[in-house]
Every structure is written in C-alpha cells, then in structure tokens.
Amino acid sequence: CSPQAAKQDLPARPQRESIQRFSLEARIAIRQPGSSNTIRMNWEHAHNTDLIGFAGPLGNQLAELQRDSLGARWISADGERQEARDADQLLARLTDTPLPLDSLALWALGRVSDRAENVQRDPDNRLLLATDMGWTLRISRYENDTPNALPAMLEIEHDTLRIRLAIEAWQL
Amino acid sequence: SGIEQLHQFLDGSKTAKASFTQKVISKTGRAGQNASGTMSFLRPGKFRWEYTKPYSQLIVADGSKLWSYDKELNQVVIKPMSQALGATPAALLAGSNDFQKNFTLKEDGASDGLEWVEATPRNNEAGFERVRIGLKANLPQVMEVRDNFGQTTVLLFSSFERNPTLPADAFIFTPPKGADVVGE
C-alpha cells in the first residue's frame, strides 16, 4: 500500500495558491560533499513564521529552527543557540549552502515563483519540473491523483547539493 | 519495584526482540504520525531498528557504525556510532548495562499494570531531559523520552522476547545495489 495515509481518505485539497499555512512531516535525504544525512523534518509554516524540528532517524530531535518577524534562531539539542536576520543562513548549518526557506515553502506546495523557467506540468496542470531561483526542482510523486493533490516526493538541486523530500503527512 | 525490574531486564537480556509503535508529541502538543516496526538488539551496542509503517527505514548499529537506509529516498547514511546514537530509546535499550553510570534512577509509581522508572541523564550532553520506562514481567512495555525541546517520543512495545536466537547477520548491513551510500 502507499507509504502515506491510504489515498482515498485524504481530505479534498483547496487550490494550492490559496494555502497560507501548513504543517508537514517529511524525511529528507541531503546529499552534498562531506556531510550528507537523512533526517526527519517537522515543519509548521505560516505567513512569515516557521517552526521546524529536525530529528534523527530514531525520532531524537537534533535541532529546531524558529523564524518570525524578529528574525531567525537555531537551537541545537545540546543547547547551542544561533541567531540570524533570516532563516536561510541558519539552514546552511544543515546544507552547507543557504536554503531559500520561502522558496521551499512554495515548492513544497507544488508551486514556483513567477520567475521560474522551463516549467513542465502534467495533464492536470500539476508541476513536474522547473528551474527557480537557481534551483532545479523535480516533483516525482503526488499524494494522490487529484488536480489539487499535494506533493509527496520532491527533489531540489543546486550545484553539488541535492535534497530529496519524502512528505508523509500534510495538515492545512 | 520498577528499578528492580529494570535491573533484571538489563542483566537478564543479552539479546531481545520486539515490535513497537512510536508516536512523537511535539512541544505544541501536536501528535505526529504513528510509526511502527520491529527492533532487536545484542548488548552492548548492536541493534536493528526497522520502521515498516508508514515508511520503510532500516537502522542498524553494528557496534562501530550506524547505518540508516531509507528505501523511498534510496539513500544509505553511515555514521560513527558515538555521534549518532545520542538520546535514543535504541541506545538506552542496547547500551552497555551500566545504566546506573549514565543515569540517576527514580521510582515513578505504578499505573495501568506497569511499574515505572524515571531515568535522568547524569550529564547534560545526553540530548534529552529524561526517559520514563514502564515495565512488566521484567520487560519494558513503554518508553517515553522527553528531549530538550519539550518533545516526547512514546514507544509502545509488544511481543517482547528475551534472549531469542537472532539471525547471524541481524546486525550487519549491506547497502542495496543502486542506493546512494553517503557518510563516513
């Protein structure tokens, strides 16, 4: 059976452009020279606030990233704290390259910015491939086959960094 | 008492096998998805932790390295055991049994047929605040690990077998063909 909730009992989704807040649970495979990793991500996103928990494969939380109008904070399990003006710099603790959090929130929903290029869509107008903000974005699976379905497997690439996201659960 | 049962378990089980379900409750009280699977261990330091639902992920500690393989993400990550284990129920179960050295133990009463022990790490690099273990018949039935972020991981064990014979390659991991193998 499919890895996430059985396909039929997923709620009907709204238009993806209308989604302002979501929370998702995902596993992330980060592949980059030197510090590749597979971690769990628990992401609560709203208009300009984000709370992301990063955990090891056994569920032990490794770090937490908080973002709000005052800026961004990274707290590690051993209590170390780091502040920054925006979250992208802090994500570089994980991915060596700053990760555009706002773009990731867009891509995770299966959207791209209006500056995206070579955008490819499937017959239901759902995003399959695009280049956006210097990143290559590929969505290889959706949670089911409805036009408003949310992505289930996403891959983004930038130079030597490749991130694969298996999204297990969405809550809107 | 709970502590007696814990010692019986730690001293009396060189290997063990069980099924588990795991639920993570976030700081904001939101319960994450349930995950379930099977686990086995050979003390000290070797364990096999396999999630089968809702995703398939295998974590094997072979005594020196920790291998974690995510089938859907098709990636194998290899890490030195010291760094990766940290505050995980697996490490507590499969660790060397000088539990006393690393934790202060406190009786935490009895409820729903279990006797509870609260273990607090002696040093604060353990990466978690405390773990509560509910035991019956000298076997852990429930483990609640509360980490430094206010998140609680709850593990419910079932069909817990003490000293089963385990397959010889239970704690050896060979990456499948075609998977990305990364890490030290």
Side-chain angles (χ1 to χ4, degrees):
Chain A
C1 74
S2 83
Q4 325 87 331
K7 300 216 176 186
Q8 344 43 315
D9 57 21
L10 286 175
R13 297 298 187 194
Q15 284 282 344
R16 63 189 84 246
E17 289 70 19
S18 70
I19 300 171
Q20 291 299 321
R21 41 184 326 121
F22 61 74
S23 69
L24 64 81
E25 262 177 83
R27 300 186 319 288
I28 315 179
I30 299 168
R31 205 177 70 149
Q32 59 194 357
S35 57
S36 298
N37 207 347
T38 303
I39 48 175
R40 291 194 60 75
M41 175 160 123
N42 206 313
W43 182 5
E44 291 175 31
H45 171 79
H47 179 46
N48 52 17
T49 62
D50 287 287
L51 177 64
I52 309 181
F54 298 103
L58 293 161
N60 50 319
Q61 189 144 345
L62 307 169
E64 185 172 88
L65 173 68
Q66 301 160 0
R67 178 182 74 151
D68 50 37
S69 46
L70 305 175
R73 284 157 301 286
W74 175 280
I75 303 150
S76 314
D78 53 20
E80 194 218 330
R81 275 178 79 95
Q82 196 181 350
E83 314 247 340
R85 205 175 30 75
D86 68 43
D88 302 4
Q89 301 304 332
L90 293 175
L91 281 170
R93 290 178 63 111
L94 211 61
T95 52
D96 294 351
T97 339
L99 197 58
L101 190 56
D102 287 331
S103 303
L104 192 56
L106 216 56
W107 300 335
L109 289 167
R111 299 176 58 196
V112 277
S113 76
D114 33 40
R115 286 191 301 280
E117 287 151 12
N118 43 48
V119 176
Q120 286 174 31
R121 294 179 179 278
D122 71 5
D124 288 322
N125 196 31
R126 298 183 317 182
L127 188 67
L128 294 176
L129 189 67
T131 316
D132 197 7
M133 320 286 284
W135 292 73
T136 308
L137 161 69
R138 226 174 267 104
I139 298 179
S140 52
R141 192 157 48 77
Y142 279 85
E143 61 186 350
N144 58 33
D145 38 32
T146 59
N148 289 347
L150 293 171
M153 179 66 95
L154 189 76
E155 193 174 279
I156 58 175
E157 222 165 324
H158 176 75
D159 302 338
T160 56
L161 167 63
R162 188 201 67 199
I163 298 173
R164 223 177 251 157
L165 229 81
I167 301 174
E168 294 158 13
W170 285 96
Q171 265 160 19
L172 303 183
Chain B
S1 78
I3 292 181
E4 267 158 24
Q5 290 206 50
L6 181 61
H7 282 312
Q8 287 288 342
F9 166 65
L10 292 171
D11 302 338
S13 58
K14 181 99 172 98
T15 64
K17 197 167 75 163
S19 303
F20 67 84
T21 56
Q22 173 181 299
K23 170 170 283 197
V24 179
I25 301 161
S26 77
K27 166 169 67 177
T28 53
R30 208 167 51 80
Q33 263 201 45
N34 279 7
S36 58
T38 57
M39 73 97 186
S40 57
F41 65 76
L42 164 64
R43 214 190 296 285
K46 292 186 177 173
F47 66 81
R48 185 185 185 85
W49 201 274
E50 189 155 9
Y51 291 99
T52 42
K53 272 210 310 278
Y55 49 83
S56 138
Q57 194 171 62
L58 173 61
I59 299 139
V60 174
D62 64 12
S64 75
K65 288 203 170 63
L66 190 81
W67 307 71
S68 59
Y69 167 54
D70 188 299
K71 200 160 161 221
E72 202 181 356
L73 296 170
N74 200 24
Q75 176 162 291
V76 176
V77 177
I78 310 168
K79 287 197 160 189
M81 268 198 49
S82 54
Q83 191 200 39
L85 270 185
T88 61
L92 303 179
L93 287 171
S96 53
N97 45 21
D98 50 12
F99 215 83
Q100 208 74 18
K101 193 159 69 78
N102 308 324
F103 298 93
T104 46
L105 300 178
K106 191 172 73 106
E107 287 294 342
D108 202 17
S111 63
D112 37 61
L114 304 177
E115 285 190 312
W116 291 84
V117 180
E118 187 179 277
T120 318
R122 289 191 192 280
N123 69 49
N124 48 32
E125 274 93 42
F128 66 93
E129 239 175 62
R130 61 171 163 70
V131 56
R132 287 182 71 235
I133 308 168
L135 297 108
K136 189 169 66 177
N138 299 337
L139 290 173
Q141 305 298 319
V142 185
M143 276 178 93
E144 292 168 2
V145 184
R146 189 178 157 79
D147 66 25
N148 294 337
F149 296 91
Q151 176 183 277
T152 305
T153 304
V154 181
L155 274 163
L156 301 173
F157 294 110
S158 56
S159 39
F160 212 115
E161 272 177 63
R162 191 202 324 268
N163 295 326
T165 45
L166 297 173
D169 61 357
F171 307 109
I172 299 166
F173 179 78
T174 350
K177 232 163 60 57
D180 283 337
V181 183
V182 294
E184 299 81 56

